[in-house]
Amino acid sequence: MGVTTGTMAPALRDSVFTELRTRVRGAGGHLRRNPKLLLGLVMLIALLALGTLGPLVIDTDTARPMSVIPDQPPSREHLFGTESQGRDMLALVVRGIPLTVEIGLIAGAIGLGIGTVLGFIGGYTGGIVDTIIRSAADIMLTVPGLLVLIVVAASIEGLVSVEMIALVVASLAWMFPTRTIRSQVLSLRERPYVEMAKLNGMSGPQIIFRELMPNLLPYLGASFVGAVGSAILAAIGLEALGLGPQNEPTLGMTIYWAIFYSALLRGLWWWWAAPVGVIVILFVSLFLIAAGLDELANPRLRRAES
Amino acid sequence: MTTATTQTAAATLRVEDLRVQFHTPRGVVRAVDGVSFTLRPGERFGLVGESGSGKSTIALALMRLIKPPGRIAGGRILLEDEDLAALPEDAMRSVRMARIALIPQGAMNSLNPVMRVKQQIIDGILAHERERSGSRNGSRSKRDLEERVAELLESVGLRREVAERYPHELSGGMKQRVCIAIAIALRPSIIIADEPTSALDVVVQRQIMQTLGAVQARLGASVLLIGHDMGLMAQFVDRVGVMYGGKLAEIGPTREIFAEPLHPYTQMLISSLPSFDRETSFVKLAGQPHSPLNPPSGCVFHPRCPRAFEPCPARVPVLREVRPDRFVSCHLYDGAVES
Amino acid sequence: MVAISQPQVGRQTRSRSATALRRPFVRYAIRRVGVFLLVVWAAATLNFFLPRLAPGQDPVRARLGTVLAQGGSVSGIEEMVATYNEKFGLGEPLWLQYLRYLGDYARFDFGYSLASYPARVLDLIGNALPWTICLLVVSTVIAFVVGTLAGALLGWTRAPRWLGHLFMPFLTLSAIPYYLLGLVLIYFLAFRSRVFPLSGGYTVGTEPAWSWEFIQDAVTHSILPALSIVLAQLGFWALGMRGMMVMTEGEDYMTFAEAKGLPPRTIFFRYAIRNALLPQTTSLALALGGIVSQAVLVEVVFGYPGIGTLLYNAIKGFDYFLIYGIVFLVIVTIGLTTLILDLVYPLLDPRITYQRQ
Ligand SMILES: Nc1ncnc2c1ncn2[C@@H]1O[C@H](COP(=O)(O)OP(=O)(O)O)[C@@H](O)[C@H]1O
Ligand code: SF4
Ligand SMILES: [Mg+2]
């Protein structure tokens, strides 16, 4: 922004700033009226800050095995303690957050991308294409996702990478977005302004991008949060079973090693408490954000609550 | 206010200065803002007005069915000298259907999709008779009830087998008839019908109105018919009230209003009516109704009124009887009041 | 297939006398069972061809090779290789292998376990299944009933305000994966305060039997895992039901029900819940169908002797026959629950007819 404003005409710049200011204030108003969304965003931002700024403050090399004295409870030196392989828990968590979020974002984006394309095609064109898309999504939804993922992940030979887990998870992340977006497109298609656009000679893609997309943004946003959330959930599930990237300290793998080394029964509570705590914060924040977005998109829920 | 009481002595229902407000996040909507009218015994009274003028809100307020964020903010609803607005909820519940029945707007979806027609008539009857007799089982047998349901259905022009059907197995007109049957089941003294024929085709509309008229005549009940179709109103009701922006603009006998509308809004409505050879007669006027959140000052109609003059934006006109049985709320008639 | 795609909201005005209703039902039921068999067949076929599609050697043979190479300490492994070769051997044409395989699966004969030869896959599954069914069906049903009722009250505008505040924390719990909730519960209620056993389905050293003591022991062991499932699922059911109640409350028939002067109790149960419950029923059937795969993580965390733990160990031990057997079983379970749902649903929702189109 800084570079471009210099070249802008002052009047234009002023109007842009006013626009921006009212936008920000509008968003602030939304947030104040929507404490769930606000709290969720604050929690998520705090977590992401820990994951991104953490490496600048602490030494993440201690996330490697045998870099610290094993099995130490939290102390001033090791804020979250250390585990049996000689890794520092804080460093593990700081390294794990971006990895886990990365898996979620990749899988969520792929899932939402496929879902949006299929949903639009199905909802907009209708007919046999729609029937096929809808049936495929419905059938896939009844198949127990985790089970398929387990079988697929277990049959991957050799070392598993973060990206592979993301792809595995993404393969089952498209059905839900497909369904929601399809039904939204179906209902929007009937609206008068879409009829108007058709009468005005707009083409299919034009109608989709100019008329339908903007109206679907809240749903796309909510779907994306939902898709990322379920992708992270599935990925952590696979990892906790030991089917994740063995060489990367994702949050789920840390839990796997804690279970593997019986941290629970040996009283090493900090070993599992750190990743579990971070995951809980992550999920609760995603839950609150999704619930908040839902209320924005669907004001009737708001009334039921307050 | 004083005018409302002078309307007539004999009244089944007297509504005085009724106010309903919706407290939305963006401000207070005064959906009904000081409405007064009376329903005389056995008469057919119509309420017309554009969509959003507050007609359905009046209907729901009379039934005391306004839901949060809305509430009845003032006024009295006198049913045989009993103020419904002040009645405890329990007592109000026994008034509904038994003394005032509602045929709701959107009767297409007014029946519970998972219950048979029979059950939906019987549960209403039982809810009231249990209360009255105080006993759980009631005195009547199942056979009696079913016979009564069959008679009700036949009285609205349905075959008795309809009792066993589910709503989705019925056509729109049939569903509407079932709603009428439910409304008359307990022989109420007032029937409120909120746009009972919207979403029906013209032929069915006429049949439904005939049925409604027939059952009303048989019961001797008063009917409050709500609609935005002036043509249909003209054929059915004895008197009309014209709503604009949550207020009554004019009340009077139907013939007189059509022959000589007094309020400028009514004049617009009547002159916009199509000639008889055209199909529809829905109200569509030049200009936009105001936003319900910030109504204009003074007379709410003044931004659209072709005859607005100095006092209009400044002072709120009051509904007065300017001629016998003709009530108008407009500064044009300020001098015409015989006091 | 299945429930979600099926419902056709019928608009016919035709009369439906008793006989007219029964005949379409029989036709519908036959077709629906046919679809079920088709799904099962497809699953079995997939199970047969997937390992054979793997590039190079099929994983089962590779695995057997590894076991042998490691010294073949398992007694009878040669015998097993022989059996395996006979069944999947190169000697026979593929279609013959396939038919033989289908015959075996039709009799639920999944062969032997690779990891714990000579145990048969079916016996291993048979031992584990009752544990999973008891734990997960019971806790899922409890969560469904409590959560749905809570959600119905949350979505009911006339319910007292404090209910909302009471349930909000539980709704938030639903955001947490239940095996993690399980970890926390184990730590506080089993490790620290020793109120409940740490893990397992029964006390180590006792033999499963139909005695009062054993049942008591098993119930004690199942409370913590059940609690974590119930806590984590409550919110799911409550949120779903709340949404449906809010939708239902806006329906015209709710206003009309009130206009009839019905008491709130009647409106709540016969109008609101009765309608809002319909989609919940579909979710319940799907949840019950997916129980085995839900079970995996919670059973592993609690060391519970059910299908989930069995599957987990099978994966760890590359016990392919066992994995395929369990996957097949899961698909059959899901097919069966959706079949039951589809047959029963028209009774719950009269708008769904047995006729198609
Ligand atoms: N639940 C509600 N929340 C906010 N405003 C409402 C609500 N219901 C009705 N209103 C307002 O009340 C006014 C009158 O509505 P209504 O009585 O339905 O009009 P009509 O039946 O004449 O079309 C409208 O301006 C509408 O905005
Ligand atoms: S009061 Fe004035 S603005 Fe209102 S209707 Fe009469 S003339 Fe028109
Ligand atoms: Mg209305």
Side-chain angles (χ1 to χ4, degrees):
Chain A
M1 189 80 202
V3 188
T4 45
T5 44
T7 59
M8 261 191 224
L12 181 61
R13 193 180 56 200
D14 280 356
S15 78
V16 165
F17 276 140
T18 329
E19 167 73 16
L20 262 182
R21 218 175 298 135
T22 52
R23 282 254 177 111
V24 168
R25 211 175 294 148
H30 268 315
L31 284 180
R32 226 172 302 127
R33 257 183 276 129
N34 200 326
K36 274 185 202 145
L37 188 56
L38 182 66
L39 185 64
L41 283 175
V42 167
M43 285 166 71
L44 186 64
I45 289 170
L47 262 194
L48 293 181
L50 184 63
T52 48
L53 304 180
L56 307 177
V57 185
I58 65 155
D59 176 16
T60 50
D61 282 348
T62 53
R64 292 217 200 92
M66 294 189 293
S67 54
V68 292
I69 307 166
D71 294 346
Q72 295 196 77
S75 64
R76 187 165 300 179
E77 202 175 335
H78 303 288
L79 278 179
F80 287 8
T82 67
E83 42 95 279
S84 294
Q85 292 168 301
R87 305 194 280 186
D88 179 73
M89 286 311 302
L90 180 58
L92 271 181
V93 166
V94 166
R95 291 261 282 112
I97 292 172
L99 289 174
T100 297
V101 172
E102 183 191 338
I103 295 177
L105 287 179
I106 295 177
I110 295 177
L112 183 70
I114 299 176
T116 309
V117 171
L118 289 182
F120 266 103
I121 294 177
Y124 194 80
T125 57
I128 190 149
V129 180
D130 181 41
T131 311
I132 292 173
I133 290 177
R134 196 196 57 209
S135 316
D138 282 350
I139 291 175
M140 290 301 286
L141 270 178
T142 57
V143 173
L146 187 61
L147 196 72
V148 175
L149 296 182
I150 288 174
V151 173
V152 173
S155 56
I156 296 177
E157 301 212 358
L159 279 183
V160 176
S161 69
V162 166
E163 288 75 22
M164 278 157 85
I165 282 294
L167 284 181
V168 169
V169 172
S171 68
L172 288 185
W174 56 271
M175 295 92 70
F176 221 78
T178 303
R179 262 175 57 134
T180 21
I181 289 162
R182 176 184 164 274
S183 66
Q184 286 303 322
V185 171
L186 265 184
S187 81
L188 283 181
R189 203 178 58 171
E190 305 301 324
R191 302 273 167 87
Y193 59 84
V194 175
E195 286 300 314
M196 287 291 288
K198 262 188 215 159
L199 291 178
N200 288 342
M202 269 199 190
S203 69
Q206 269 177 323
I207 292 177
I208 286 180
F209 287 105
R210 294 230 199 109
E211 305 289 332
L212 295 182
M213 270 294 188
N215 284 292
L216 276 176
L217 278 181
Y219 290 95
L220 290 177
S223 288
F224 183 64
V225 175
V228 171
S230 14
I232 293 181
L233 183 69
I236 289 179
L238 288 181
E239 291 163 5
L241 288 174
L243 298 171
Q246 293 87 348
N247 289 347
E248 301 276 10
T250 61
L251 295 173
M253 285 314 288
T254 307
I255 290 175
Y256 170 70
W257 294 121
I259 298 175
F260 191 85
Y261 285 101
S262 306
L264 203 58
L265 308 185
R266 291 162 59 208
L268 309 177
W269 56 268
W270 54 91
W271 193 347
W272 54 266
V276 168
V278 168
I279 292 174
V280 166
I281 294 176
L282 182 63
F283 278 118
V284 170
S285 71
L286 288 177
F287 171 79
L288 292 174
I289 290 173
L293 286 178
D294 211 25
E295 281 173 18
L296 277 188
N298 190 1
R300 244 156 127 192
L301 282 175
R302 233 179 296 165
R303 228 196 312 152
E305 223 152 74
S306 56
Chain B
M1 269 276 288
T2 47
T3 51
T5 40
T6 59
Q7 278 186 22
T8 177
T12 314
L13 183 79
R14 204 190 332 264
V15 177
E16 292 179 357
D17 198 29
L18 181 65
R19 289 166 196 278
V20 181
Q21 302 177 346
F22 288 94
H23 294 259
T24 69
R26 295 164 63 214
V28 178
V29 175
R30 294 174 208 282
V32 176
D33 200 17
V35 162
S36 306
F37 65 93
T38 58
L39 256 184
R40 296 167 190 168
E43 91 166 324
R44 298 166 171 183
F45 184 76
L47 273 180
V48 284
E50 286 161 299
S51 175
S53 57
K55 306 179 302 287
S56 297
T57 307
I58 289 181
L60 290 176
L62 299 187
M63 302 295 293
R64 279 267 307 274
L65 288 176
I66 300 289
K67 292 281 167 53
R71 64 185 185 91
I72 297 182
R76 301 205 294 168
I77 303 166
L78 295 167
L79 175 66
E80 284 144 20
D81 295 326
E82 192 176 16
D83 184 6
L84 299 185
L87 223 51
E89 174 61 23
D90 280 354
M92 187 61 216
R93 204 183 307 136
S94 60
V95 170
R96 295 181 190 132
M97 186 170 169
R99 294 171 66 194
I100 305 187
L102 174 73
I103 302 169
Q105 183 167 15
M108 300 302 293
N109 304 313
S110 289
L111 296 172
N112 186 346
V114 296
M115 276 169 82
R116 290 181 199 280
V117 164
K118 179 175 73 179
Q119 295 165 307
Q120 306 197 43
I121 301 178
I122 290 180
D123 70 359
I125 295 177
L126 285 184
H128 290 277
E129 308 223 317
R130 242 179 232 149
E131 214 158 83
R132 219 171 287 164
S133 67
S135 78
R136 285 249 127 200
N137 308 327
S139 50
R140 53 188 62 252
S141 69
K142 201 175 162 221
R143 172 92 59 76
D144 284 345
L145 271 174
E146 299 205 343
E147 189 50 39
R148 194 161 151 199
V149 167
E151 280 166 18
L152 275 170
L153 290 174
E154 282 171 352
S155 75
V156 294
L158 290 171
R159 280 177 298 120
R160 49 172 61 209
E161 292 87 59
V162 169
E164 302 295 331
R165 302 278 184 80
Y166 286 101
H168 75 274
E169 298 172 295
L170 307 178
S171 69
M174 291 165 89
K175 278 188 248 189
Q176 189 56 276
R177 285 172 195 273
V178 171
C179 287
I180 295 176
I182 292 174
I184 61 171
L186 297 174
R187 315 187 127 259
S189 51
I190 298 171
I191 300 170
I192 303 174
D194 190 352
E195 313 214 6
T197 58
S198 59
L200 297 178
D201 68 58
V202 185
V203 179
V204 182
Q205 271 186 10
R206 199 146 297 153
Q207 293 170 346
I208 294 287
M209 290 314 291
Q210 275 163 6
T211 304
L212 185 60
V215 297
Q216 182 240 357
R218 198 169 337 123
L219 290 182
S222 315
V223 167
L224 175 61
L225 178 71
I226 291 171
H228 55 239
D229 185 340
M230 273 298 238
L232 205 70
M233 280 291 171
Q235 294 169 31
F236 190 78
V237 299
D238 308 318
R239 289 196 304 141
V240 245
V242 180
M243 294 279 301
Y244 186 83
K247 294 174 192 287
L248 271 169
E250 177 165 9
I251 306 176
T254 313
R255 286 165 168 276
E256 293 184 29
I257 287 210
F258 272 79
E260 189 194 354
L262 295 179
H263 194 282
Y265 177 61
T266 321
Q267 290 166 356
M268 269 173 77
L269 282 186
I270 306 278
S271 64
S272 75
L273 272 186
S275 49
F276 280 102
D277 51 8
R278 259 185 266 162
E279 284 235 321
T280 55
S281 48
F282 290 111
V283 173
K284 251 205 192 111
L285 294 175
Q288 287 284 314
H290 57 262
S291 148
L293 280 170
N294 48 353
S297 62
C299 172
V300 285
F301 187 56
H302 84 256
R304 284 170 85 186
C305 181
R307 298 175 64 185
F309 59 117
E310 311 93 71
C312 300
R315 281 189 294 124
V316 180
V318 188
L319 189 74
R320 303 161 194 265
E321 189 165 17
V322 297
R323 289 182 206 172
D325 214 17
R326 297 288 308 262
F327 299 82
V328 182
S329 154
C330 172
H331 292 305
L332 288 174
Y333 303 92
D334 278 353
V337 184
E338 65 264 22
S339 49
Chain C
M1 89 189 209
V2 286
I4 14 182
S5 61
Q6 187 90 57
Q8 308 277 339
V9 178
R11 284 189 209 291
Q12 84 277 38
T13 328
R14 241 172 306 137
S15 109
R16 283 210 280 159
S17 66
T19 47
L21 191 136
R22 225 168 277 138
R23 208 170 307 120
F25 173 74
V26 171
R27 232 180 289 143
Y28 169 83
I30 290 173
R31 194 178 47 222
R32 194 54 195 76
V33 170
V35 170
F36 166 70
L37 292 177
L38 205 71
V39 169
V40 171
W41 166 79
T45 304
L46 216 64
N47 250 356
F48 175 80
F49 284 107
L50 265 188
R52 272 155 251 260
L53 286 180
Q57 235 182 348
D58 81 66
V60 182
R61 298 181 63 84
R63 184 64 202 151
L64 279 176
T66 338
V67 175
L68 276 179
Q70 281 162 357
S73 57
V74 190
S75 65
I77 195 82
E78 283 86 2
E79 187 188 329
M80 175 161 179
V81 175
T83 321
Y84 177 78
N85 276 337
E86 184 219 322
K87 277 206 153 172
F88 300 88
L90 304 165
E92 289 181 2
L94 199 62
W95 64 269
L96 205 61
Q97 292 175 38
Y98 177 59
L99 284 186
R100 191 198 299 277
Y101 164 91
L102 279 188
D104 287 347
Y105 263 48
R107 285 177 282 113
F108 286 96
D109 178 1
F110 306 125
Y112 294 94
S113 158
L114 291 173
S116 43
Y117 187 81
R120 301 188 68 86
V121 167
L122 188 60
D123 294 335
L124 291 175
I125 292 178
N127 287 337
L129 198 57
W131 293 97
T132 298
I133 290 182
C134 287
L135 175 64
L136 275 123
V137 171
V138 170
S139 41
T140 301
V141 169
I142 292 178
F144 173 81
V145 171
V146 178
T148 300
L149 257 179
L153 286 171
L154 283 177
W156 185 240
T157 37
R158 289 196 242 171
R161 193 61 45 82
W162 54 264
L163 267 174
H165 301 297
L166 183 72
F167 279 113
M168 223 34 223
F170 285 102
L171 299 193
T172 314
L173 277 186
S174 73
I176 305 167
Y178 41 84
Y179 49 97
L180 298 185
L181 210 58
L183 278 181
V184 179
L185 288 180
I186 294 176
Y187 181 71
F188 286 107
L189 295 179
F191 182 75
R192 292 287 294 264
S193 68
R194 306 202 180 266
V195 180
F196 294 105
L198 274 166
S199 80
Y202 48 92
T203 306
V204 183
T206 58
E207 276 291 307
W210 281 114
S211 69
W212 176 238
E213 286 78 24
F214 182 78
I215 292 176
Q216 236 177 339
D217 185 46
V219 168
T220 320
H221 276 79
S222 66
I223 289 179
L224 271 196
L227 188 64
S228 66
I229 296 171
V230 170
L231 282 182
Q233 276 195 12
L234 269 186
F236 173 78
W237 299 116
L239 284 178
M241 188 64 179
R242 187 188 69 160
M244 283 316 298
M245 283 294 279
V246 172
M247 299 257 292
T248 308
E249 266 202 81
E251 296 281 354
D252 292 333
Y253 56 78
M254 294 296 288
T255 313
F256 195 41
E258 286 192 78
K260 287 198 282 184
L262 297 179
R265 203 175 352 102
T266 310
I267 298 179
F268 183 63
F269 285 107
R270 295 238 248 142
Y271 285 73
I273 289 198
R274 181 69 177 73
N275 279 286
L277 205 53
L278 294 174
Q280 289 281 99
T281 325
T282 310
S283 307
L284 177 65
L286 292 182
L288 288 177
I291 258 176
V292 172
S293 70
Q294 286 179 43
V296 178
L297 279 152
V298 85
E299 287 189 1
V300 168
V301 166
F302 283 94
Y304 201 77
I307 291 282
T309 309
L310 191 67
L311 177 63
Y312 177 68
N313 291 331
I315 290 168
K316 301 253 101 169
F318 299 96
D319 194 344
Y320 287 99
F321 291 159
L322 189 49
I323 297 178
Y324 294 144
I326 295 177
V327 170
F328 181 73
L329 177 89
V330 167
I331 294 176
V332 171
T333 324
I334 292 168
L336 212 56
T337 38
T338 47
L339 171 67
I340 295 171
L341 176 73
D342 280 359
L343 292 183
V344 170
Y345 201 80
L347 297 179
L348 301 177
D349 187 346
R351 281 165 297 181
I352 312 296
T353 63
Y354 289 113
Q355 281 115 324
R356 234 183 177 171
Q357 261 94 44

